[in-house]
C-alpha cells in the first residue's frame, strides 16, 4: 500500500495560501500524528481563518511549545471573537507567567463572556498574589452565577484554605437568610475537588428519586453507576441512616472524621513526595472544608427544620461528592508514589473516575504497557477506566491495539463516550497500523458509519475505492453527502474531484460539498469550472452566519451583565496599577521592577 500523503506533505500544506487546504493539513497533523510536533503550526496563531487561529494555540500548548508563547500573547491582544479565550487557555497550559500583567490589564476593558472563562483559567494557573487578588475582586463583583462560579473555581486553585472559608460563607449567606442556594456556585466549589461529576450525578441524574427523600434508592443508583468507588457497605448504610433521619450535622462530622482518617493513612510521612503533593493539598483542603461546615450546627439544624429540599439536597450532595472524590484518589496516589509497580498503575486506571489525573495518564503512556492495557478492558466496556484505557491506547499509538479498538467499535453503543474515543484512537495509531485497519474495513469488520470516520484519516487509494463501493451500494446505510464529501477530502485521492463535481452539479450543491471539492482541486492543482460558484456560495453563507451571530448578540444583550455586542464589564480592579518604574509598595525604596515585580 502506498500512502497518498505523508507527514511531510501535511506540514508543507500548513503554509498554503488557501485556508481550506490549511485546515485539511492541520486536521491530519492533529488527528493522525498527535504524538508528533511541528513548528509550522505556529504560523496559524494569527491566521485569517478564525478556526485555525483558535486551534493553533491549543496545539502548541499541548506540545509545550512555550517558545511561541509571546506570539500567542500578541494574538490575544490583537484579535477578537473566541481567539482571546483560546490564547489565554493556551498560555495557562504553558504556565506562561510573563503574560500576567497583560491578562490582568485586559480585564479593565469590555470583555466577552467567552473570553472571561479563558482569562480566569489563566489567573487560576498562575499562582501569584496579583492573580489571586484579581480573582477575589472578580468573585466579589460579578453577578452572573456561571461567571462568578468560574471565578470561584479558579480562585480556589490557588490552594489558600482561607479562601475556602470565605467562599463557603459567601455561598451559604443566602441560605441563612432563607433564600435559595445557587447551584452554579456549589458546583464550582465541587469542581475544585474534582467532584463536579459526582455532584451532578447526585442531583441531576437521579430521575424521579431524591437524595433526601429516597436516599436508599438514590444511593443504589449512584453506586451502580460509580462502582469504581471502594466504600464498605457499613459506611454506605451509616450515611443513608443519617440522611434518612435528617441528622445533617452528624453527617458532616462523620465525613470529617472519615476524611481525616483517609488522609492520615494516605500520607503517613511528614515530607510528602513531590509526585503526590497536589493530591495532599486537595485532600487536606477537603478535611478543612468539613471542619468549617461542622462549625455551623445552627445552619444544619435550620435546614433540618426547613421544607426547602432543593437547598438541602444541593448541600448534602456537595459534601458527599467531595468525600467520594477523596476516596477515588486512593489508587491514584499509590500509583504515583515512588516505587509504584505496574499492578498499581493498572489498578488505578481500572478504578478510574471521570477525573483521571493527567500526570498518571502520562506516566502510563511513557511506560507503554501494551499487553497489560490490552488485558485491562472490561467485557462490558462501561467504566470510566475503559474510556481512559482507550484514550491512552491512542496516545501510545501501537498497532497491537487494533483488535481491542475494533472490539470497542463493534460492542459499544454509538452514543457512549468510548465509541468516539475508539475512533479517535484508531486514527491516532502509528502508520504501521494502517494496513491492519484497512484490511479489517475491506473484510467488513467495521460497521459503515464507523467506517466513514476512519477512512477519512487513511490516505490510501484503497480507502477511496472502498468508500466509493459503499457509497454506490444501494443497500449501504451511508447516505450523508456531507460525511461522504469530507471523507473524500480527508483521503485526498485525485479521483475524488470528478466524484464531487458530479454530486455538486447534479445532486447537491450545498456548501459542505463545495468546500471539499475546492480543497481537492487545490491539492492537485486542478482547474475546475465550479470554483466561482463555490466561492460565491461560501461568501453568501458567511454573510448569513454573520447576520445570525448579530441576531444572537442582540438576544443576549439584555441578559445579566452582558451588554450589546456580547461584551461584559465583569468588575473593576480595586487597586491602582503600579508602574514598573514606580517606588515599590513594599517600602524597600527600590523601583518596583527591581523589587517585587518579579516576585509576583
Amino acid at each position: 500500500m502506498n500512502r497518498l500523503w505523508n507527514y511531510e506533505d501535511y506540514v508543507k500544506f500548513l503554509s498554503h495560501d488557501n485556508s481550506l487546504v490549511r485546515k485539511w493539513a492541520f486536521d491530519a497533523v492533529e488527528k493522525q500524528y498527535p504524538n508528533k510536533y511541528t513548528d509550522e503550526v505556529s504560523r496559524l496563531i494569527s491566521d485569517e481563518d478564525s478556526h485555525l487561529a483558535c486551534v493553533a494555540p491549543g496545539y502548541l500548548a499541548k506540545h509545550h511549545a512555550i517558545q511561541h508563547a509571546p506570539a500567542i500573547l500578541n494574538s490575544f491582544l490583537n484579535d477578537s471573537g473566541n481567539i482571546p479565550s483560546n490564547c489565554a487557555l493556551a498560555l495557562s497550559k504553558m504556565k506562561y507567567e510573563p503574560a500576567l500583567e497583560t491578562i490582568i490589564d485586559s480585564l479593565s476593558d469590555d470583555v466577552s463572556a467567552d473570553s472571561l472563562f479563558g482569562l480566569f483559567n489563566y489567573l487560576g494557573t498562575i499562582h501569584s498574589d496579583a492573580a489571586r487578588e484579581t480573582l477575589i475582586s472578580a468573585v466579589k463583583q460579578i453577578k452572573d452565577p456561571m461567571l462568578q462560579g468560574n471565578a470561584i473555581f479558579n480562585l480556589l486553585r490557588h490552594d489558600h484554605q482561607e479562601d475556602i472559608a470565605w467562599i463557603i460563607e459567601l455561598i451559604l449567606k443566602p441560605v441563612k437568610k432563607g433564600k435559595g442556594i445557587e447551584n452554579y456556585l456549589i458546583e464550582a466549589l465541587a469542581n475544585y475537588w474534582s467532584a463536579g461529576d459526582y455532584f451532578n450525578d447526585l442531583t441531576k441524574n437521579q430521575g424521579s428519586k431524591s437524595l433526601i427523600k429516597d436516599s436508599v434508592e438514590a444511593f443504589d443508583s449512584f453506586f451502580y453507576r460509580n462502582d469504581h468507588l471502594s466504600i464498605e457497605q457499613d459506611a454506605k448504610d451509616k450515611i443513608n441512616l443519617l440522611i434518612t433521619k435528617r441528622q445533617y450535622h452528624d453527617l458532616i462530622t462523620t465525613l470529617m472524621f472519615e476524611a481525616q482518617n483517609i488522609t492520615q493513612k494516605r500520607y503517613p510521612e511528614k515530607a510528602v513526595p513531590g509526585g503526590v503533593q497536589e493530591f495532599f493539598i486537595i485532600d487536606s483542603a477537603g478535611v478543612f472544608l468539613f471542619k468549617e461546615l461542622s462549625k455551623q450546627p445552627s445552619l444544619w439544624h435550620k435546614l433540618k427544620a426547613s421544607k426547602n429540599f432543593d437547598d438541602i439536597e444541593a448541600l448534602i450532595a456537595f459534601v458527599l461528592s467531595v468525600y467520594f472524590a477523596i476516596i477515588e484518589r486512593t489508587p491514584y496516589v499509590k500509583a504515583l508514589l515512588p516505587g509504584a509497580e505496574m499492578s498499581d498503575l493498572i489498578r488505578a486506571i481500572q478504578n478510574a473516575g471521570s477525573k483521571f489525573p493527567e500526570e498518571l495518564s502520562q506516566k502510563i503512556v511513557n511506560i507503554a504497557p501494551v499487553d497489560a492495557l490490552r488485558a485491562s478492558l472490561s467485557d462490558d466496556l462501561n467504566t470510566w477506566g475503559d474510556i481512559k484505557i482507550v484514550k491512552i491506547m491512542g496516545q501510545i499509538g501501537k498497532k497491537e491495539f487494533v483488535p481491542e479498538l475494533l472490539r470497542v467499535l463493534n460492542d459499544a453503543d454509538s452514543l457512549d463516550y468510548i465509541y468516539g474515543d475508539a475512533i479517535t484512537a484508531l486514527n491516532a495509531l502509528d502508520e504501521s497500523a494502517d494496513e491492519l485497519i484497512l484490511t479489517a474495513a475491506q473484510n467488513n469488520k467495521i460497521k459503515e458509519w464507523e467506517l466513514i470516520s476512519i477512512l477519512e484519516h487513511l490516505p490510501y487509494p484503497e480507502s477511496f475505492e472502498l468508500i466509493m463501493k459503499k457509497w454506490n451500494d444501494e443497500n449501504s446505510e451511508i447516505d450523508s453527502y456531507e460525511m461522504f464529501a469530507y471523507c473524500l477530502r480527508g483521503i485526498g485521492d485525485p479521483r475524488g474531484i470528478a466524484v464531487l463535481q458530479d454530486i455538486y452539479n447534479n445532486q447537491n450543491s450545498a456548501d459542505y460539498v463545495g468546500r471539499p471539492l475546492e480543497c481537492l482541486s487545490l491539492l492537485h492543482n486542478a482547474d475546475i469550472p465550479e470554483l466561482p460558484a463555490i466561492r460565491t456560495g461560501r461568501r453568501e453563507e458567511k454573510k448569513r452566519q454573520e447576520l445570525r451571530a448579530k441576531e444572537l448578540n442582540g438576544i443576549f444583550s439584555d441578559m445579566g451583565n452582558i451588554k450589546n455586542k456580547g461584551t461584559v464589564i465583569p468588575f473593576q480592579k480595586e487597586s491602582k496599577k503600579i508602574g514598573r518604574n514606580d517606588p515599590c509598595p513594599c517600602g524597600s525604596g527600590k523601583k518596583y521592577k527591581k523589587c517585587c515585580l518579579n516576585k509576583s
Side-chain angles (χ1 to χ4, degrees), residues 343-378:
S343 59
D344 296 320
L345 294 173
I346 298 302
R347 191 176 300 110
I349 199 168
Q350 286 179 324
N351 290 281
S354 61
K355 304 298 184 184
F356 192 69
E358 180 60 34
E359 56 267 45
L360 195 45
S361 288
Q362 194 57 54
K363 183 175 182 178
I364 296 172
V365 169
N366 293 340
I367 297 172
V370 174
D371 292 338
L373 288 171
R374 293 180 65 191
S376 297
L377 281 173
S378 73

Side-chain angles (χ1 to χ4, degrees), residues 464 467-468 484-493 496 499-500 520:
F464 173 82
I467 197 60
M468 287 303 304
F484 176 66
Y486 276 94
C487 183
L488 294 185
R489 161 191 172 272
I491 294 169
D493 191 296
V499 174
L500 291 179
L520 280 177

Side-chain angles (χ1 to χ4, degrees), residues 265-417:
K265 291 178 182 177
R266 186 175 294 170
Y267 312 101
E269 305 295 333
K270 289 185 178 180
V272 179
V276 296
Q277 185 69 33
E278 288 187 16
F279 290 134
F280 172 73
I281 291 171
I282 203 77
D283 287 340
S284 299
V287 174
F288 176 82
L289 168 75
F290 293 135
K291 286 182 179 178
E292 288 297 300
L293 291 173
S294 70
K295 295 176 183 177
Q296 305 195 43
S298 59
L299 168 70
W300 301 106
H301 291 315
K302 182 176 181 178
L303 287 173
K304 181 178 180 178
S306 170
K307 293 184 179 180
N308 189 342
F309 290 106
D310 289 341
D311 280 358
I312 300 169
E313 185 170 82
L315 288 172
I316 297 304
F318 165 61
V319 295
L320 288 174
S321 66
V322 173
Y323 173 64
F324 295 148
I326 291 174
I327 291 174
E328 181 190 322
R329 281 188 279 274
T330 298
Y332 304 161
V333 172
K334 188 173 183 181
L336 285 170
L337 285 171
E341 299 180 355
M342 181 57 63
S343 59
D344 296 320
L345 294 173
I346 298 302
R347 191 176 300 110
I349 199 168
Q350 286 179 324
N351 290 281
S354 61
K355 304 298 184 184
F356 192 69
E358 180 60 34
E359 56 267 45
L360 195 45
S361 288
Q362 194 57 54
K363 183 175 182 178
I364 296 172
V365 169
N366 293 340
I367 297 172
V370 174
D371 292 338
L373 288 171
R374 293 180 65 191
S376 297
L377 281 173
S378 73
D379 293 335
D380 296 333
L381 301 172
N382 62 358
T383 70
W384 285 110
D386 291 323
I387 294 173
K388 304 304 175 186
I389 290 169
V390 164
K391 288 183 176 180
I392 288 174
M393 285 178 172
Q395 290 174 281
I396 294 173
K398 299 291 186 182
K399 66 179 182 180
E400 288 83 0
F401 293 130
V402 170
E404 281 69 37
L405 294 174
L406 292 179
R407 176 172 82 84
V408 172
L409 281 187
N410 287 319
D411 293 352
D413 188 283
S414 61
L415 297 178
D416 292 342
Y417 289 125

Side-chain angles (χ1 to χ4, degrees), residues 54 75-91 103 111-112 114-115 118-119:
C54 284
S75 180
F76 167 83
L77 289 169
N78 298 322
D79 286 306
S80 59
N82 289 328
I83 294 172
S85 181
N86 283 275
C87 288
L89 288 170
L91 294 169
I103 295 288
V111 184
S112 72
D114 285 337
S115 294
L119 299 178

Side-chain angles (χ1 to χ4, degrees), residues 486-545:
Y486 276 94
C487 183
L488 294 185
R489 161 191 172 272
I491 294 169
D493 191 296
R495 291 173 289 180
I497 297 174
V499 174
L500 291 179
Q501 281 180 298
D502 178 64
I503 291 174
Y504 185 81
N505 290 313
N506 301 311
Q507 301 175 54
N508 191 322
S509 61
D511 189 50
Y512 52 71
V513 175
R515 285 172 180 261
L517 174 55
E518 180 179 356
C519 182
L520 280 177
S521 71
L522 293 168
L523 286 172
H524 296 285
N525 295 312
D527 186 14
I528 60 173
E530 293 82 5
L531 275 183
I534 290 172
R535 288 170 176 169
T536 298
R538 190 161 67 249
R539 285 193 294 269
E540 292 174 353
E541 177 63 22
K542 183 178 180 181
K543 288 180 181 178
R544 286 193 292 271
Q545 290 175 351

Side-chain angles (χ1 to χ4, degrees), residues 162-357:
E162 60 265 37
D163 292 337
I164 296 174
W166 172 61
I167 294 298
I168 290 171
E169 188 60 32
L170 177 73
I171 292 174
L172 292 181
K173 190 174 181 179
V175 180
K176 294 177 180 179
K177 292 182 177 180
K179 299 179 181 179
I181 201 165
E182 180 52 69
N183 269 30
Y184 277 125
L185 305 188
I186 288 286
E187 189 174 347
L189 202 55
N191 283 334
Y192 170 64
W193 281 275
S194 298
D197 287 336
Y198 290 141
F199 175 77
N200 286 326
D201 212 357
L202 288 166
T203 56
K204 300 177 183 177
N205 301 330
Q206 294 293 343
S208 61
K209 300 299 179 183
S210 164
L211 177 62
I212 301 302
K213 299 177 183 178
D214 313 287
S215 63
V216 175
E217 293 89 342
F219 259 48
D220 286 344
S221 175
F222 174 82
F223 285 113
Y224 176 78
R225 292 191 299 270
N226 297 278
D227 59 358
H228 59 279
L229 289 171
S230 180
I231 302 178
E232 297 292 335
Q233 188 61 46
D234 288 347
K236 296 179 188 178
D237 292 341
K238 185 175 182 180
I239 291 172
N240 259 321
L241 183 62
L242 292 171
I243 294 175
T244 302
K245 290 186 174 183
R246 306 190 74 180
Q247 295 176 347
Y248 304 133
H249 185 249
D250 290 343
L251 173 65
I252 299 300
T253 305
T254 298
L255 296 180
M256 177 187 71
F257 286 122
E258 289 292 332
Q260 212 163 18
N261 290 335
I262 291 170
T263 54
Q264 286 173 352
K265 291 178 182 177
R266 186 175 294 170
Y267 312 101
E269 305 295 333
K270 289 185 178 180
V272 179
V276 296
Q277 185 69 33
E278 288 187 16
F279 290 134
F280 172 73
I281 291 171
I282 203 77
D283 287 340
S284 299
V287 174
F288 176 82
L289 168 75
F290 293 135
K291 286 182 179 178
E292 288 297 300
L293 291 173
S294 70
K295 295 176 183 177
Q296 305 195 43
S298 59
L299 168 70
W300 301 106
H301 291 315
K302 182 176 181 178
L303 287 173
K304 181 178 180 178
S306 170
K307 293 184 179 180
N308 189 342
F309 290 106
D310 289 341
D311 280 358
I312 300 169
E313 185 170 82
L315 288 172
I316 297 304
F318 165 61
V319 295
L320 288 174
S321 66
V322 173
Y323 173 64
F324 295 148
I326 291 174
I327 291 174
E328 181 190 322
R329 281 188 279 274
T330 298
Y332 304 161
V333 172
K334 188 173 183 181
L336 285 170
L337 285 171
E341 299 180 355
M342 181 57 63
S343 59
D344 296 320
L345 294 173
I346 298 302
R347 191 176 300 110
I349 199 168
Q350 286 179 324
N351 290 281
S354 61
K355 304 298 184 184
F356 192 69

Side-chain angles (χ1 to χ4, degrees), residues 3 10 27-36 62 390-391 393-399 401-402 405-406 409 419-434 437-438 441 446 449-460 463 487 490-491:
R3 283 180 68 95
Y10 294 125
D27 192 47
V29 166
E30 185 182 40
K31 293 179 180 175
Q32 295 178 38
Y33 304 95
N35 300 322
K36 286 190 175 183
K62 174 186 172 184
V390 164
K391 288 183 176 180
M393 285 178 172
Q395 290 174 281
I396 294 173
K398 299 291 186 182
K399 66 179 182 180
F401 293 130
V402 170
L405 294 174
L406 292 179
L409 281 187
Y419 171 88
D421 289 330
I423 292 176
T424 300
L426 280 166
N427 291 335
L429 296 182
D430 294 339
E431 290 181 11
S432 61
D434 289 357
I437 299 171
L438 191 50
I446 302 176
W449 283 111
E450 291 89 343
L451 179 67
I452 202 167
S453 298
I454 291 172
L455 292 180
E456 181 181 353
H457 298 287
L458 284 175
Y460 293 92
S463 297
C487 183
I491 294 169

